[in-house]
Amino acid sequence: MNGDCETMRKMRESKACLACFISFPTFNSKATQKPERKQRGDTELEHKKGFVSPLTEKVELRENIKQRKKCGNMEYETNKWIWDGMYNHPHVFGGLMLTAALLGLSTSYFGGITVPQLPYLWPDSGIFHKKKCEKKRIRVYMDGCFDLMHYGHANALRQAKALGDELVVGVVSDEEIIANKGPPVLSMEERLVLVSGLKWVDEVIPKAPYEITEQFMSRLFNEHKIDYIIHGDDPCLLPDGTDAYALAKKAGRYKQIKRTEGVSSTDIVGRILSSLRDTNGGEDQNKTSLHKTPESQPKSAHLSQFLPTSRRIVQFSNGKGPGPNARVVYIDGAFDLFHAGHVEILKNARQLGDFLLVGIHNDETVSEHRGHHPIMHLHERSLSVLGCRYVDEVIIGAPWEVTMDMVTTFNISLVVHGTVSEYNSLFTGESDPYSVPKSMGIFKLLESPKNITTTSVSQRIIANHDAYMKRNAKKAESEKKYYAQKTYISGD
C-alpha cells in the first residue's frame, strides 16, 4: 500500500505541474487509480492514505486558478506562448501533453529517474514561437526638385507623411531639372541638406528621375517597399505634354495632396528678379543700385499671396515646450530664403542644448538693418524655420536686442550667433544686440558650417538673369492655367 500511495503521490505532482500551465481538466484520477480505490468514499481516509477524490481535486484546482489570477498578468504573459501553441499546433500540443502524462506515470516505477519540467523546455524548441501580428507600416514616396526650398515644399511633405507612416523623398537630379524645367538655383548637395532637414522626412533618395518610369516604379515598390506615390493637385507635365505620374496612376498606387496656396519657386524667382537687377559690381546697365532702399523699392517686389492662418502654424508646430530643467538655446536672425546654411547652423545650435528657440525678426527690422525688404515675409519665414527638424519653437517677430526679460521669460541658458551673417558688418557703430547675454556669460559665437547667405543665393539668379526670365515665363503660363482651373480640394 505504501508503494501504491507513493505512486499516486507522484501522479498528482505530475498533474499539478501541468495544471499550472493549462486550465482544461487534468487527467481524471479514476483512470489511474486501482480498482479497490473506487469503493473508498471516506474523505478523511483518502487524505490519510494520500489519495484525493475527483471532487476534492476540482475544488483545489479552482482555488489554484483563483490564486493565480490574483497574481496579475505577469505569469499569463510569460506563458502566453502555450496558448498560441494550443491554437496554432493542436496536434503537436496534444502529443506533447500525452508524452508528459506517460513520463509522469513511468517515473513512479523507475525511482531515482527525474524528468525535467517539460513546459520550460518548450519555448526553446521553436514550436510555439509567438506569431507577431504587427500592423504593416505604410511607406509613401514623394519627389520634387525642391529648388529654393520654401514652406510650400514643407507643407507638401507634411501632407504626404500624413498619408502613411514613413515618408521617402526623391530629390530630382540637376540634369533632369535642366532637361525639364531649366537650370536649378541650388546644387544637389544643398537641396539634399534642405530636404533631409525637414521634420517629416524619414529617408531621401538622391538623383531621382523627373518622370516615374516603369523601371523606377518597380525599384520603388520592390527595393524601397513603397506603397503609394504622392503628388500635388497641380499638373506635372513632361516636355512632350504627358503626365509624369501616368504609370503610378494606372497601377492604382497614386495619391494626391493639396497644393499650398500663394507660393512656388517660380513666384520666389519672380520676386528676386523684380527687386534685384543684374549688375556689374552692384549696378545694372542704368547704374541702378543692386539693393534699393525700402522707400524706392516697388511694393510689388515683396508682396506675397500667402494667406497665413493659425491652423497652418499649429500644423507646423511641435506643440511642446521645454522641460523644467531643459537647457534652452536661443538663436535669432531673418532666415530669409531658407537655405542649406540655415539648416546647418540650426543643427549645430540644437546640439548645444535640449531645446532650440529661434527668434525671427519682423520685416521692418530686417529692412532697417539690411537696407532692403526680405524676399519672404515674416509668416513665410516663420513656417520655413518651424519645418526644420532641429527647431523646437520660434518667436515670430523677435526683437533686435536680446533683453534680460527675454532671457528670464524663456529661461534661456545660451545665446548663439553664426559667424556668417549679413548682419555682422553692421555691428560697427551700433549697439550690440547681444550685450546682455555677453555680460551674463551665456553668449557663444558659433562657427557657420557653410558660407551661404540669402544675398549669395539671390546673386545666382541675377547672374543667370536671361535663363531664369525664360524659365519663369514658361512656368508663369502653366501657373496661370492652374489657378484658372483650380477647384476646392478638402483636406490638408
Side-chain angles (χ1 to χ4, degrees):
M1 286 298 290
N2 291 336
D4 290 341
C5 291
E6 181 66 20
T7 300
M8 298 312 297
R9 185 182 64 79
K10 290 185 177 182
M11 287 172 59
R12 287 199 305 276
E13 288 179 355
S14 175
K15 290 185 289 182
C17 179
L18 295 173
C20 289
F21 294 92
I22 58 175
S23 61
F24 52 78
T26 57
F27 296 104
N28 197 314
S29 58
K30 292 181 180 180
T32 58
Q33 66 186 13
K34 293 185 177 181
E36 60 268 21
R37 293 280 189 181
K38 294 181 181 180
Q39 298 175 1
R40 296 192 178 184
D42 187 353
T43 305
E44 183 178 355
L45 179 61
E46 290 172 357
H47 280 285
K48 286 181 180 179
K49 297 297 183 178
F51 177 80
V52 181
S53 69
L55 179 59
T56 307
E57 187 177 44
K58 288 181 180 179
V59 173
E60 291 177 351
L61 181 59
R62 288 196 193 101
E63 292 299 323
N64 187 23
I65 292 172
K66 288 180 182 178
Q67 187 64 30
R68 297 185 72 81
K69 285 182 178 179
K70 292 180 182 179
C71 296
N73 296 324
M74 184 179 297
E75 289 190 13
Y76 172 76
E77 290 296 332
T78 304
N79 302 296
K80 190 177 178 182
W81 55 269
I82 295 180
W83 299 104
D84 293 336
M86 291 172 59
Y87 181 80
N88 296 304
H89 307 277
H91 300 295
V92 177
F93 191 84
L96 287 171
M97 293 304 301
L98 181 57
T99 303
L102 293 173
L103 286 172
L105 289 173
S106 64
T107 54
S108 62
Y109 298 102
F110 298 96
I113 300 178
T114 58
V115 180
Q117 294 186 4
L118 193 57
Y120 290 105
L121 299 179
W122 290 344
D124 297 328
S125 66
I127 298 175
F128 297 129
H129 283 174
K130 181 179 177 181
K131 289 186 177 181
K132 295 184 178 180
C133 300
E134 295 181 0
K135 181 183 177 183
K136 180 184 180 299
R137 294 183 65 79
I138 303 299
R139 287 170 61 85
V140 296
Y141 171 82
M142 188 173 189
D143 59 17
C145 302
F146 303 106
D147 199 20
L148 293 177
M149 176 70 80
H150 50 72
Y151 64 92
H153 290 132
N155 191 44
L157 295 174
R158 180 192 65 80
Q159 293 180 75
K161 178 64 177 283
L163 295 176
D165 301 302
E166 297 173 1
L167 174 60
V168 180
V169 181
V171 181
V172 178
S173 66
D174 294 345
E175 296 77 17
E176 292 274 313
I177 297 175
I178 293 171
N180 291 277
K181 299 179 71 173
V185 178
L186 305 179
S187 68
M188 168 60 74
E189 188 234 342
E190 290 172 326
R191 291 184 285 120
L192 285 174
V193 169
L194 283 165
V195 173
S196 301
L198 284 173
K199 64 176 68 172
W200 301 285
V201 177
D202 298 297
E203 187 180 326
V204 178
I205 300 176
K207 296 185 178 181
Y210 190 82
E211 177 188 4
I212 302 294
T213 62
E214 188 171 347
Q215 181 182 4
F216 184 68
M217 189 166 66
S218 177
R219 177 186 165 194
L220 289 177
F221 295 159
N222 298 318
E223 181 180 335
H224 296 282
K225 308 302 179 185
I226 299 299
D227 295 286
Y228 297 101
I229 296 172
I230 316 295
H231 188 64
D233 62 313
D234 55 318
C236 183
L237 303 178
L238 300 171
D240 61 0
T242 58
D243 186 355
Y245 295 89
L247 287 176
K249 292 176 181 178
K250 186 178 179 181
R253 305 281 284 271
Y254 176 85
K255 286 190 176 184
Q256 185 172 279
I257 59 170
K258 185 177 181 180
R259 177 178 172 176
T260 306
E261 71 287 345
V263 67
S264 66
S265 298
T266 303
D267 170 52
I268 295 172
V269 170
R271 297 189 209 181
I272 295 171
L273 290 174
S274 64
S275 60
L276 304 174
R277 300 301 176 187
D278 192 10
T279 66
N280 181 14
E283 296 182 348
D284 63 13
Q285 295 177 351
N286 297 321
K287 303 299 179 181
T288 304
S289 174
L290 174 63
H291 287 165
K292 297 181 180 181
T293 61
E295 293 76 15
S296 63
Q297 272 189 317
K299 290 184 178 180
S300 60
H302 47 267
L303 284 180
S304 168
Q305 303 301 316
F306 177 53
L307 304 174
T309 62
S310 59
R311 180 169 176 266
R312 180 70 77 223
I313 294 174
V314 169
Q315 288 171 337
F316 274 55
S317 174
N318 288 348
K320 296 180 181 179
N325 299 316
R327 179 176 170 83
V328 179
V329 179
Y330 178 78
I331 185 172
D332 60 9
F335 296 97
D336 192 19
L337 207 62
F338 200 68
H339 52 70
H342 292 140
V343 175
E344 295 289 4
I345 194 71
L346 291 173
K347 178 180 180 181
N348 288 1
R350 181 63 175 78
Q351 292 173 346
L352 297 175
D354 308 305
F355 191 91
L356 182 59
L357 175 65
V358 182
I360 304 172
H361 300 143
N362 61 31
D363 298 350
E364 291 72 23
T365 299
V366 176
S367 246
E368 179 183 350
H369 292 276
R370 284 190 179 178
H372 62 93
H373 279 283
I375 296 166
M376 314 288 284
H377 72 56
L378 177 60
H379 290 103
E380 294 176 309
R381 293 183 282 119
S382 298
L383 289 179
S384 293
V385 174
L386 268 176
C388 181
R389 68 169 68 248
Y390 308 111
V391 176
D392 295 293
E393 182 62 289
V394 301
I395 300 176
I396 302 175
W400 175 249
E401 293 186 10
V402 180
T403 64
M404 178 67 74
D405 181 62
M406 278 184 62
V407 173
T408 304
T409 300
F410 295 101
N411 195 28
I412 297 172
S413 302
L414 181 66
V415 177
V416 299
H417 187 72
T419 54
V420 174
S421 172
E422 295 182 77
Y423 290 150
N424 284 341
S425 60
L426 301 176
F427 286 171
T428 305
E430 290 189 5
S431 60
D432 186 351
Y434 304 108
S435 59
V436 170
K438 284 180 179 178
S439 67
M440 297 174 65
I442 60 170
F443 178 82
K444 179 180 179 65
L445 194 62
L446 199 57
E447 186 70 28
S448 297
K450 292 184 179 294
N451 189 25
I452 307 173
T453 64
T454 301
T455 299
S456 68
V457 174
S458 299
Q459 288 283 9
R460 301 180 194 181
I461 297 173
I462 301 303
N464 294 279
H465 178 273
D466 292 340
Y468 285 107
M469 284 291 288
K470 183 178 179 181
R471 167 182 163 174
N472 264 31
K474 181 180 178 181
K475 289 289 293 180
E477 287 299 319
S478 62
E479 294 265 328
K480 186 177 179 181
K481 184 178 179 181
Y482 164 76
Y483 281 107
Q485 299 176 350
K486 182 180 177 181
T487 57
Y488 173 75
I489 296 177
S490 62
D492 105 321

